[in-house]
Amino acid sequence: MDNSQVIKYLQDKDIHKIKFAFADIDGILRGKVIHRKKFVDGLQDGYGFCDVTFGWDSNDALYDEVAVTGWQSGFPDKACRIDLNTFRTVPWEDHIPFFLADFSRHDGTSLAVCPRSLLKRIIQQCDSMGFHAEFAQEFEWFNFKETSHSLQEKGFTGLQPLTSGMFGYSILRPSQNSAFFYDLFNLCEQFNIQIEGLHTETGPGVYEAAILHNGILEAADKAVLFKSAVKEIASRHGIVASFMAKWNTDLPGCSGHIHQSLWTKDKERNLFYDADNQESVSELLKQYIAGQLYCLPYILPMYAPTVNSYKRLVEGAWAPTTVSWGFDNRTVALRVLNPSEKYTRLETRVPGADTNPYLAMAAALASGLYGIRNKLLLDIPATTGNAYKEQEKERLPADLYSATQSMMASPVAKDLFGEEFTDHFTRTRLSEWNHFVKHVSTWELKRYLEII
């Protein structure tokens, strides 16, 4: 859809307000509703948006010593442009027109720290190498019979799950909340997010959804929008939906696995498949896997961006802990699925539901392309059993601080994402860690207050 088509649509429908949003460094949508006149006036050159949105965290606290914004610069506006290709209407908000945006300019330049702009730069590299990247993300999340107010009143404790017990792949549980369950499926479809499958996972009130695959930019857009859509739809049913990686010590965490494949530009041939090769996987796929494995320890915060992310990455929790790969193995970091040419793909199992899809997909594609460019050998044997028991495998960093230090110290991240983005992103992760280490937790009070 071009400018004239959009303007005609708004005029014909007599629409006077438009909603647009972009993802911040944590993947949280920030945006506003604007008048049609302002929307039309900014179609060519964009809109000014305060750059503090890349200088504060998920709770609007300023990050420590980031260069891109701050008191030192006075928090000026930066150029934000709407992508007309993202046009859709919001079915649960009277079909208000909605667009996604990023911090880029008409001449092709962009703000280095904008997640969507970063992914677009990685896609350009992929295109220049002659590949079309096909991606999809799947999410697990917990649903609670709560509201934003009740969460605060309860101090985020004693929460009531949507359903009780451990009942993965249940037919009964969704039927007990069918209005919500089918609203998720149907309203997301109307919002141009096609859900491939929706079901319960093991745990009280847990759902899992896989989004149908698309070209990588559209896939990331839909993943970002899916998380926000689920929260908005859930709220209308008196439900809080949480994409936190691990909210309860005794329950499984929430994944955000990424499925990916490289195709010819015409999308006619899956380049990860080779019928004449062992296991029907191509040398290109092996190089792609080798690249992801090599880069993984140095870019882990792109997949595990919060302090809580690492509570999920523990043994026996259906999440990887090692630099490993295997065929249809759910204990490894990289799972190869190769049933046929159409469906041969790589599943990167490290990301949790708390990821920023733009950054997680950028990390997956950039590190895979790194392996192809450098013709890396896949010299790590495929895991055929339980990867948790393979003591010889390299262990992933165990917390956000260690992972961020590795990312800062290695030249890999700067090579993949650029120095400006890497510096900003790692500073935001250290800031997140600093907030955490200053906090006195309930666990500490229960353990030490009386006894120690």
Side-chain angles (χ1 to χ4, degrees), residues 286-359:
K286 291 179 182 179
Q287 292 173 352
Y288 189 93
I289 294 170
Q292 284 205 9
L293 291 174
Y294 175 78
C295 297
L296 179 55
Y298 310 117
I299 62 171
L300 185 57
M302 303 282 278
Y303 297 131
T306 72
V307 170
N308 181 253
S309 301
Y310 298 81
K311 305 295 176 68
R312 170 182 160 267
L313 299 175
V314 295
E315 290 190 7
W318 300 91
T321 58
T322 59
V323 179
S324 55
W325 74 283
F327 291 95
D328 200 6
N329 187 327
R330 286 182 167 86
T331 68
V332 297
L334 305 180
R335 175 185 175 219
V336 176
L337 296 159
N338 58 335
S340 65
E341 178 178 0
K342 184 177 181 180
Y343 292 108
T344 292
R345 63 195 185 276
L346 181 67
E347 178 189 34
T348 302
R349 294 181 57 81
V350 180
D354 58 344
T355 50
N356 179 336
Y358 293 120
L359 299 188

